[in-house]
Each structure stands twice: as C-alpha cells, then as structure tokens.
Amino acid sequence: MLPLITLVLSHASIVLSNNIWTFSGTLGDDNLIEMDISDITLINADKGDAIFKLTGSCTGEHTHIQIKLFEVSTYETTIYKDMTCGSDKKVIKYSEPLVLQTLTKFRIQAYGKTGTEFNTTLSLEETDVALQSGVGTTEGKIEQNSMLVKSFTIKSEDIRSTSDWSYIEVSVESDINNKYLDPDKTGDMDPRLVARLMLTNNSANLDEFYINPGAALDGALRLSFSTFGMITLSNASNPIIQSGTWYIGIVLDCGSNLATREKKVKIDINVRKDYECEHKIVILFVASLLGIVIPIGARFIFTLKCIRYKDIKFKCWLITIRNWFWSGRKGLTYLTLFLGCILIVSAFQVVHGKYAEMHSSGDRDICYYNEKCYRPYGAYYDVSTNAIASNLPFMVHGVILVIYFSICEAYCRSNEHTHFDYSIPYSIALAFICEGFGSLLYHICPSQIIFQFDTLFMFVVSVLMIISIFDGYSIRESDIRNTVIAKHKSVRAPKVFTFFVGPVYFFNFIGNLIASKGLPVQLVVVFYILFAVWWMSILLWAAYKLDIWPDDFYPPNIPEELRSTLSFNSMDKPVTVKEFIFRYAATFKRIAFMLFCSFVVAGFLLAAFKKLAFSMFILGVLILGLIALTTIFFIPTICIHFRRTSHLRKTINIFNRTCNIPVCHLVLVGIVLYGAIGCGVVITSLVFFKVFSVTDKSLEPWRSREYNSPCFLNDFYDTHDFWHLFASFALMMMTMIVVQIGKPCRECYLKLAATRNKIHNEQETNNTVNKEDVKIPAKNVDVGAVLQLTDSADDLGAEDV
C-alpha cells in the first residue's frame, strides 16, 4: 500500500486600490507564489515615468523570503528583495524609475520555506515633472522610512542654443508660512524635522541614497534642509548638466525621530540657458572706479587745493616708482606684501582642498552658499561667481590708493620736501588688495573654519590704520624734533607684525577651530589664559602710547622747574580753549579707554561662551578702537584746519548774488559733508551685512539656508555683494581721514614750508638745536618760546608749499 502524501499548496491574495497592491499569503510545499499586477492607472494615459515601492514583512524564525517583481513580456526584473523574517521592522525597496505604458503588465513572486507567512504592499508612484518653458512644479509628502522620488527630462535644445552657459535650479520648500506646513515647527522648543535632497542622473543612486542619505555618491548632488534647499546643476558641477532624465530624491534625515511624522514639500525646477555674467562684472568694475573721487575730494577738503599736473615732475614720479624697489623707507610695505603673498597662497591650498571635497563628494553642506542667488562660472568653476566678483572693489580701490599715494610722494619730491614717509599709506593700500584676494578665496567655499581667511587682512587694515594714527603724533627719524612736542617714537614694522598681527592670526585660527571642531578642555583653558594675557599686554601698550598714565599732564620735553608756569589752578583768569584741553583731555582719554576695555572684556566673555564668533570679536574690537582713535585725533585736526582758514575769505556767486564767505565756513561744510557721506556709507554697509544677511556659518547648513535670499540687483548680485561694495568705499573714506591724521608728509599736512625758516631761527636763538640731531630743549629754554614754536608747527599756516 502506497503511503498517503498530502500536498500543501501555497495560497495568497492580491488587493488593488489606487495603484496600491496588497500581496499576502502563506507559502506551501511548492514554495512559490506568483500573481499578476495589472490595471495600472496613469495620469498621462500615453506615457508616464513612475517608480515601484515595495514594503513588506514575514513571520518565522531564521527564515528568508525572496520577493521578485518583473515585467511579463520581457521577464526583466524590476524589484528583487531578500527579506529576513521575524523582524518587526518593515523592509522597503524601490525600483529604478520606469517608463510605463497603460497596458504594461507585471508579475510578483514570493519564494521561501513552507509555512512562511508574508504581507507586502506594492505601490506605484508617478515621478515625472512636466517642464513648460523650462519651469516645472510638483508637490509631495515624505514619511519616516520612505523616499519621495521625482524625475524630469532635459533635451539638448533646453540647455543649449547659442551658449554653453546654462544651469538648472532644483529647489524644495517646506515653509510654515504657506500650505507646505512643516508639522515639526509647532513650537519654539519642538525639534525641527530635517530632510535631505539629492539630484542625480543615475537611477542606481536612489536606492543607495535611501539606505544612507549622508553617504557620498558618485554623480549625485545632495544637501540637508528644513524649510528650504536648492541645488544648482551647471556645466561645472559634478555631475555636469546634460540632456536625459534626472532624478530627485528626498528622505527624512536619519537623525529625525518620531516615525509618525511627515513633511509636505513643494519642488520647483527652473532651467536657465544662454546665461552670461561678464557684462555684469564690468558694471561693478566701472562702479568701483568711482572711488577715484574719494582721495581727490578728501585732499581738496583738507588742503584746499588739488594736486595739479604742473606741480609734479614726471621724472620725480619715475623716481618714486623706482624707490619702491631700490631705496626708501618701505619696511612696513614690504612686510605687508610678504605677509599677503604667504597667507594668500596658504589660504588657497586650504580653501581649494575644502572645495575639492565638496565638489567630488557632491555634499553641498560643506560650503555655505546663498543658493537662491548662486551663479556658477560657466564650465570652469562651480562656485558663486557673483560672490567672488563682488570683491573686485577692494582690489580696484587698493590700486587707486597706491597710484594716489605715489602721486603724492612724487609731489613731495617735486617740491623738495624732506620730511615725508608714505610707507604706512602704501601698506594700507596693499592690504586693501590682499583683503580682496582673501575674501575671494573665502567665498570659494564659505564655512566657519574658512571664515578666518576672509578676516585676515581686515585685521591688517585695522591695525595699520591704528598705527598710522599713532604715527601722526609720534617722532620719526626724519622729523625736526622740536617741531612737535611728542613723547613716543613711531611703531616700527617688525613690532607691528611680531607682537600684534602674528598673535592675532594664531588666536583667531585656534578660536575658530574650537568653535567648529572642538578641542580638549585642557587645551581650551590654556588657550584662553594665553589669549587673556596677550590682550592685557596689548591694552597696557595702548595705555602707554595714549599717555593714559598720570604723568602725561605736561608735554614731555618741558623741564620740571618750569612746569609751574603752566599751572591752571589759578581761577582769577579766564580759561581758554587750549587751557581747557590741557586740563581735561587726559581725563576724557582715560574714560574712553576704560569704556574700550569694558567692551574688550564683554566681547572676550561672549566669544569664550560661544555667543559671538571668534573672528567677529577680534575684528569688532579693532574696528571699535579704530573709530574711537579716529574720533579723538581727528577733532583736533579739524580745529587746526578750521583755525588756519579763519582769516581767509572767498567770493562766490549764489543765485546771481555775490557773497563774501569765510573760507573756514566752506571748509567746515566740506568736512561735515564728507563725514556725513562716510557715516551713511558705513551704516548702509552694516545694514547689508547684518540685517540682510544671506547665510550664517555658525549654524547648521540646513538652518543657514533659511537666511538665503534672491538676487538683489540685475539677477546677479545679492545683499552680501553690496556689503562688499559699500564696505570698500567706507574703508577708503576712512583711510583718507586716517592718512590726514597720520601726516605722511609733515610739510604737506603741517604746512612746514611757511614756518620752516622761522622754526630754524627760533631753535638757533634758543640754542636748542644740534644740527646733527635734536634731542630735548636746553634747560634754560623759555617755555613760552617752546610752546609758540610747537604751535607754529602744528598750526597749518596759510602759505602752501
């Protein structure tokens, strides 16, 4: 008798609902179940791009089940997934995007051990985004453990006609202010829901992107976003723009929690072709040339005359150019240029390495761009061309200043001046050029750690301006020592770079490293101790240079036994302006210095507790000190200038009426107008920088993108580019004021030609001069004569050179 054999057949069911098929059942002894997938419904009846999504699970210990979806007519596998049973987590698998017809039929198979139960869901999602005139829009929803996939097709004529400069913007929005509400933004304390966006022309990257959204993929661009994100595909990106089908993938970030959450998004596609930017850069260059007006106007206001062509001998200008390389006191200039070359080369190596990492990996989170106004440079460089080109004003203005100061030096040579030194003005001009290059390098790949290269020569410009102000009230080797009663010598170039610029770069680098990468606590404590000690040393040095100590009440070269004649304790005589200044100037300086020290301490604490960017702390302190010193020392300069012209009058015609106006009034109007325009430019630049900021490198990349803003002008320049433009003009105007205070030529700015002979005669009469060198007045000198002598030198006489 034959044994009874019972054959257990597999049984399964399939349910269709709006392009969603539920395929479930139990495997029998045949270990195979297959069913047809039909009744596919497409929005586009003729053709549509779509993607299959398989979600499933199975029961049983240490068992596997293979799910396979294939096309019936070609037997080409669409989805294949080997699922491990017994796990509570559902398995998700996506197919490659398909071009479907309404009559296309598929078959799904399940293969595994007998008795294995399975439950799978197969859904079909259309991905095609139709482009009309290069513009397309679609909407979608992302859930945890899912991916939103869209695709669009680019034809050759869509991106090429007369030029190869084309780009495609793919942006995604999820804004609380419109219907694309982000459910994660229900409260200030509620953690944000972050997603990742990918753009690729290789459909195989979709599966890898879903498995690991943060991994580098060959031929794919990706970034993180919460409310906004944009990827720009260009002739220089990786991958480059080309015809064919492109795929967009969006998944929730792995760090996001709560699987019940979802995110609604809107995807916009914008194709731009025949894009050119050269003429827009030329317009910026022409606008930068307006800086020529600033030094010419400033010299006219401060000296009441412009340098005329006939006042300069061309031979003297050639000698000036030659002396840049063969002779002359240019130590500070050479050091500035040397520092610029070294730092720019070093910075380029670091920045280009960071950019190369971003370009090769496709991770747009590495560099902080304003994606809404990102204009790549054709097929050459995948960078923000507008952000780089906007640094052109710094370079143009630097060149203008170099030429202007060379003309001023040639003017001094032509008129046989002997007490001039333009080393500091040349250094400031070169620092302008280097700042343009430093900021250019920074904008190749903007980020927190790279920001130090943007501020490299902002530090140098500020320091050089401060040194220039001190130099105007110091003794130089070429000075006639008794023409100015000064206590301190000029700050020598090696000291500037050894004790200030070098330490600033060191502390700035370590501070940014702590803010971005973090260091061991022990090293951080040591760093801040050294930083505090250095700041104390700098403040003590500044107090010494500013004569903050109590013994600075009298001019240093006045003998002790004669100081009694300058006593202002007697109240039986009226107090003049000069006596008032002598009595209270030191007090005002001490109060201002104490306020400055308090700002330094407050900024130090904010930087230490990471409430303020380290570079911004150092730069803010330098700018604050520069503004304070300029104000303190420029007011006396204005007073002297005003007094020099008080006895002069000028006849002008106003509305056909002849008016005889004091020249000092015209000078006052010119200085006030210059100062008002300068303040307006400074305020405008700060508004563009702070109020209309387009990125924030101290935040996460996805949060920084929420500051992105569209182009502000000419579909090319954003508000940060205007910050560069106005900041360059503001610094140029500040430079002319600082140079006026610094007096690079004593005879031009102090008008010594009119008083030189008088000074020499006074010195010989009082036996105070050694023709080789003058140290201090003899003890039998008449104090009144010394003060009168000093007044003659500091008072700008009416006679020009």
Side-chain angles (χ1 to χ4, degrees), residues 180-240:
Y180 307 104
L181 181 65
D182 187 347
D184 196 56
K185 298 169 64 175
T186 56
D188 293 337
M189 301 304 294
D190 201 10
R192 300 283 290 277
L193 195 61
V194 181
R196 289 188 174 271
L197 168 69
M198 182 196 67
L199 177 64
T200 181
N201 61 348
N202 183 3
S203 59
N205 285 330
L206 290 171
D207 197 39
E208 295 294 331
F209 177 66
Y210 172 73
I211 296 173
N212 187 359
L217 301 173
D218 185 29
L221 296 170
R222 52 198 170 81
L223 55 78
S224 60
F225 74 94
S226 178
T227 61
F228 170 78
M230 178 182 287
I231 291 177
T232 302
L233 186 69
S234 68
N235 301 94
S237 61
N238 181 25
I240 64 172

Side-chain angles (χ1 to χ4, degrees), residues 22-226:
T22 302
F23 179 46
S24 60
T26 304
L27 292 174
D29 293 337
D30 52 356
N31 299 333
L32 178 67
I33 298 177
E34 61 179 16
M35 289 190 172
D36 290 337
I37 302 295
S38 58
D39 300 325
I40 296 176
T41 303
L42 298 177
I43 297 177
N44 187 340
D46 297 329
K47 172 184 172 181
D49 293 342
I51 189 170
F52 279 107
K53 173 187 174 183
L54 176 68
T55 305
S57 62
C58 57
T59 59
E61 295 183 0
H62 308 292
T63 59
H64 294 262
I65 185 172
Q66 290 86 35
I67 304 294
K68 180 181 178 181
L69 176 70
F70 60 92
E71 189 177 347
V72 174
S73 60
T74 63
Y75 289 95
E76 183 177 349
T77 301
T78 304
I79 292 180
Y80 176 81
K81 184 63 179 178
D82 185 355
M83 294 190 297
T84 301
C85 300
S87 175
D88 295 333
K89 185 177 180 180
K90 290 186 177 182
V91 175
I92 299 178
K93 179 71 174 181
Y94 285 89
S95 71
E96 293 189 6
L98 307 170
V99 179
L100 299 180
Q101 304 289 339
T102 55
L103 299 179
T104 305
K105 291 186 178 181
F106 291 87
R107 182 169 296 168
I108 188 169
Q109 291 180 345
Y111 178 79
K113 291 183 177 181
T114 303
T116 302
E117 297 180 0
F118 64 93
N119 184 8
T120 60
T121 301
L122 184 68
S123 60
L124 180 66
E125 302 173 0
E126 292 192 66
T127 64
D128 184 58
V129 180
L131 299 182
Q132 300 292 334
S133 300
V135 178
T137 301
T138 186
E139 302 174 13
K141 181 178 67 175
I142 326 166
E143 297 177 347
Q144 196 77 7
N145 298 323
S146 69
M147 176 173 62
L148 177 65
V149 178
K150 296 295 178 180
S151 63
F152 59 94
T153 302
I154 296 295
K155 300 178 182 179
S156 297
E157 56 268 22
D158 294 334
I159 56 176
R160 290 185 179 89
S161 59
T162 60
S163 171
D164 287 341
W165 285 38
S166 306
Y167 63 88
I168 302 175
E169 294 177 332
V170 177
S171 64
V172 57
E173 295 183 45
S174 178
D175 195 344
I176 194 173
N177 297 320
N178 57 37
K179 62 180 180 180
Y180 307 104
L181 181 65
D182 187 347
D184 196 56
K185 298 169 64 175
T186 56
D188 293 337
M189 301 304 294
D190 201 10
R192 300 283 290 277
L193 195 61
V194 181
R196 289 188 174 271
L197 168 69
M198 182 196 67
L199 177 64
T200 181
N201 61 348
N202 183 3
S203 59
N205 285 330
L206 290 171
D207 197 39
E208 295 294 331
F209 177 66
Y210 172 73
I211 296 173
N212 187 359
L217 301 173
D218 185 29
L221 296 170
R222 52 198 170 81
L223 55 78
S224 60
F225 74 94
S226 178

Side-chain angles (χ1 to χ4, degrees), residues 1-5:
M1 180 177 179
L2 295 175
L4 180 63
I5 301 176

Side-chain angles (χ1 to χ4, degrees), residues 18 91 110 130 170 200 212 248 267 326 331 419 506 513 534 538 548 568 589 592 641 654 712 717 742 771 780 789:
N18 193 22
V91 175
V170 177
T200 181
N212 187 359
I248 303 169
I267 301 174
W326 278 280
H419 307 96
F506 170 76
L513 191 62
W534 176 79
I538 292 298
I548 299 299
F568 302 125
K589 280 197 299 184
H641 194 50
I654 302 178
F712 182 75
Y717 297 109
K771 292 184 179 180
N780 59 351
L789 185 65

